[in-house]
Amino acid sequence: MVARIIPVEPFDLVIFGGTGDLARRKILPGLYRRLADGQMPPEARVIGAARSEMDDEGFRKLTRESLEEFMPASALDKERVEEFLSLLSYVQVDAKGDGGWAELKEHIRPDVVHAFYFSVAPSLFGPIAERLKDHGIADDNARIVVEKPFGHDLASAKALNQSLACHFDETQIYRIDHYLGKETVQNLMAVRFGNMLFEPLWNSQYVDHIQITVAETVGVGGRGEYYDRSGAMRDMVQNHLLQLLCLIAMEPPSRYDPDAVRDEKLKVIRALEPVRPDDLVRGQYREGPDGPSYLEDVGDPRSRTECFIAMRMSVSNWRWAGTPFYIRTGKRLKARASEIAIVFKDAPHSIFDVPQGRHSNVLTIRLQPNEGMQMTVTIKEPGPGGMRLIDVPLDMSFAEALGEQAADIPDAYERLIMDVIRGNQTLFMRGDEVEAAWAWTDPVIADWEARGHVPSPYEQGSSGPDDALMLLHRDGRRWREIRP
Ligand code: NAP
């Protein structure tokens, strides 16, 4: 059963960058769905804020168009859409100027939750934070939501943290990593810490290795120039993949509360070993049937930025010593698929005539598409053919288990926004966590830059460069197939 929906408290949510891509694609549709589901109370107000000249009606029109563009028609109920639009207003404001702030202040009501979503470039985080305080718009209970990228390296992340810390307490800052808002990611914690079955086996004694794959079929396309300045390590690994790794590797927190969970994640990041050059593969896609090469996409034939990365990582602590974490992410791969696979060791002795190294028990946590979990176990093949063994999946796909209700599982963004309103920071990154992640990432990047490492080309629609396959082959293991 899907949990009963409990409406959140009335709130004023200001979306800086309310006219931008993220607001139109994710934030506004997400808020509409929360209203349609009865979670967003009718007393809530959403205020778009950006430099574009627009009145309330203009913002409502833009929002209506966004809902129609980014949501299936079946998800839009005429009356609900009107109700949602009636809660919207717009204020023209320049993050770096003085105009509009007094008007914005007039929109903020007393006695409701105040949240400010910074859906703008990170260079505007500091100026907005400063003005919210200087103009007396945000008080000590207000919450601010900031988007990725949170810094480009440790120094810039520290500078961003400091620019926010001048005006807001850490308990008011919600750093979004939308991977943490995914249903299965939270289910990973539920499965680990809500059952007796898995936790005793969740260590290097029983787990052979772990694979984390985030594969995309799209190229860098229109955002080539931006992407080329960051690359897969900064864009995906430093945040999303490290967060997933933390949730798998962390010790059980004493409580499911924000700081208890984030303290344990931080310990994992601090226990990460530097990646050895031999344990790292970087790649760029070649020209192929789906489009130009990476180098053409970014318009720089000499670019050395990676759009594919695979690594063998080690978490140096008692629980995980000796168990490798293999991670990979890339663009223009054979399927869009994100999953975590916990591959358990073989039984110590086989009474059946089967070879070792089969790794029959794999717990797969699927993030997209088709969120769900699967556990493979060995059973006897049915029939009179003697004791022949096969590995079969115990499938826990949400779509099957929950039927139509699975369609109601909120998108990561809407869940996270509701957590902001509830004041629950558990699924948001704390400042020290982000800095620790950069402190691990920076030397890895510095090392490949110092070596003048050139990414390997790979075919579009493949699983990445051959070197990435070798990363596991040489350890006597293989990647799981990237399947849609
Ligand atoms: P975008 O489409 O370029 O939108 C930027 C927004 O900021 C616009 O509404 C723009 O409106 C406003 N803005 C720009 N300068 C401003 C200023 N000086 N004062 C006030 N408003 C200003 O960018 P986006 O894709 O929505 O991304 C927003 C943030 O989310 C970025 O930090 C991005 O990295 C992050 N993010 C985006 C996505 C995504 O899917 N789009 C995913 C993850 C993270 P005006 O021009 O009218 O001022």
Side-chain angles (χ1 to χ4, degrees):
M1 292 288 289
V2 172
R4 195 164 53 88
I5 288 167
I6 301 168
V8 295
E9 282 178 55
F11 61 85
D12 288 339
L13 171 67
V14 178
I15 309 174
F16 291 103
T19 56
D21 180 70
L22 183 69
R24 294 180 55 247
R25 191 184 292 276
K26 290 287 181 187
I27 304 174
L28 292 164
L31 286 167
Y32 165 75
R33 265 193 300 264
R34 292 299 88 220
L35 178 114
D37 267 3
Q39 193 171 17
M40 179 169 154
E43 302 83 18
R45 297 287 177 272
V46 177
I47 302 126
R51 290 168 309 176
S52 299
E53 205 178 324
M54 198 182 286
D55 57 10
D56 293 348
E57 266 322 303
F59 186 55
R60 289 180 190 137
K61 181 168 176 285
L62 178 117
T63 303
R64 184 196 297 279
E65 287 163 2
S66 307
L67 300 185
E68 287 167 358
E69 185 176 350
F70 298 113
M71 297 181 72
S74 58
L76 296 176
D77 176 89
K78 214 167 163 241
E79 266 176 45
R80 289 301 209 177
V81 170
E82 295 311 319
E83 187 183 345
F84 178 64
L85 296 178
S86 73
L87 308 181
L88 306 182
S89 55
Y90 180 82
V91 178
Q92 188 182 356
V93 75
D94 183 349
K96 290 183 169 170
D98 288 324
W101 295 94
E103 194 195 338
L104 180 60
K105 188 174 180 182
E106 284 169 19
H107 280 68
I108 306 297
R109 300 167 298 170
D111 305 325
V112 296
V113 173
H114 298 154
F116 301 90
Y117 199 130
F118 294 12
S119 181
V120 291
S123 58
L124 300 179
F125 292 176
I128 293 178
E130 189 183 331
R131 282 163 180 76
L132 283 176
K133 272 301 168 95
D134 285 356
H135 290 269
I137 300 171
D139 61 17
D140 292 346
N141 296 317
R143 289 141 209 185
I144 60 168
V145 185
V146 293
E147 264 297 336
K148 86 166 211 184
F150 201 85
H152 187 72
D153 54 16
L154 178 57
S156 54
K158 276 188 172 169
L160 267 185
N161 271 338
Q162 276 159 13
S163 70
L164 297 179
C166 291
H167 309 287
F168 292 93
D169 187 74
E170 182 62 34
T171 54
Q172 298 179 273
I173 305 171
Y174 292 70
R175 294 177 193 78
I176 283 231
D177 184 324
H178 70 274
Y179 270 55
L180 294 181
K182 289 183 181 290
E183 185 74 15
T184 30
V185 171
Q186 291 168 69
N187 233 326
L188 176 58
M189 282 194 273
V191 164
R192 273 196 69 187
F193 305 129
N195 296 290
M196 192 56 202
L197 192 60
F198 294 106
E199 193 49 29
L201 307 179
W202 209 266
N203 55 56
S204 59
Q205 206 182 334
Y206 295 99
V207 176
D208 181 75
H209 71 278
I210 284 148
Q211 298 186 15
I212 305 176
T213 298
V214 176
E216 296 177 273
T217 49
V218 293
V220 295
R223 56 194 281 262
E225 212 177 302
Y226 158 79
Y227 187 90
D228 201 46
R229 285 196 297 269
S230 76
M233 182 69 155
R234 290 189 169 98
D235 192 48
M236 295 298 292
V237 175
Q238 185 274 342
N239 38 62
H240 307 317
L241 275 84
L242 275 193
Q243 286 294 321
L244 297 180
L245 186 148
C246 284
L247 293 177
I248 300 164
M250 73 185 194
E251 295 299 314
S254 54
R255 293 171 306 281
Y256 186 66
D257 97 4
D259 278 331
V261 171
R262 297 185 300 177
D263 285 347
E264 295 307 333
K265 288 199 296 170
L266 181 62
K267 286 183 205 161
V268 174
I269 300 175
R270 290 189 172 151
L272 286 176
E273 288 289 327
V275 176
R276 296 180 313 161
D278 284 356
D279 289 340
L280 172 88
V281 176
R282 298 165 65 239
Q284 292 173 336
Y285 53 80
R286 290 196 170 99
E287 184 184 350
D290 292 329
S293 68
Y294 175 79
L295 296 176
E296 284 170 73
D297 269 346
V298 301
D300 178 3
R302 288 177 308 167
S303 166
R304 290 188 172 179
T305 305
E306 77 289 349
C307 59
F308 175 94
I309 191 165
M311 277 185 277
R312 182 189 199 275
M313 295 171 63
S314 305
V315 179
S316 271
N317 60 23
W318 272 52
R319 185 185 285 265
W320 294 116
T323 297
F325 286 69
Y326 299 99
I327 69 167
R328 64 179 164 172
T329 179
K331 302 209 174 274
R332 286 256 186 265
L333 296 178
K334 68 197 293 189
R336 174 174 173 262
S338 300
E339 66 166 41
I340 301 165
I342 319 288
V343 182
F344 289 90
K345 290 186 176 174
D346 286 331
H349 165 72
S350 174
I351 63 168
F352 309 107
D353 190 17
V354 291
Q356 286 291 86
R358 296 170 69 237
H359 299 310
S360 350
N361 300 139
V362 181
L363 176 66
T364 314
I365 297 122
R366 182 114 182 146
L367 274 63
Q368 62 190 22
N370 312 325
E371 289 193 55
M373 294 197 190
Q374 194 184 66
M375 178 86 203
T376 50
V377 292
T378 296
I379 60 163
K380 177 191 167 295
E381 191 174 337
M387 184 57 97
R388 285 203 301 256
L389 304 183
I390 51 167
D391 297 335
V392 294
L394 293 178
D395 211 328
M396 297 176 266
S397 131
F398 294 149
E400 257 173 46
L402 302 175
E404 281 179 11
Q405 289 169 317
D408 293 337
I409 292 175
D411 172 80
Y413 272 98
E414 54 199 90
R415 177 195 309 274
L416 292 172
I417 296 171
M418 290 300 106
D419 276 1
V420 173
I421 305 302
R422 280 199 213 92
N424 187 340
Q425 288 184 303
T426 310
L427 299 175
F428 297 83
M429 293 178 294
R430 208 168 53 192
D432 51 0
E433 231 184 299
V434 176
E435 289 184 16
W438 280 119
W440 173 83
T441 308
D442 277 1
V444 181
I445 296 176
D447 181 63
W448 80 52
E449 284 179 349
R451 287 186 287 116
H453 187 265
V454 181
S456 312
Y458 62 91
E459 300 303 324
Q460 296 191 11
S462 70
S463 304
D466 291 345
D467 304 353
L469 303 180
M470 288 312 296
L471 203 61
L472 271 79
H473 277 202
R474 65 169 199 214
D475 293 349
R477 302 181 174 109
R478 34 201 304 207
W479 285 110
R480 292 167 54 77
E481 205 184 323
I482 299 177
R483 272 195 302 242

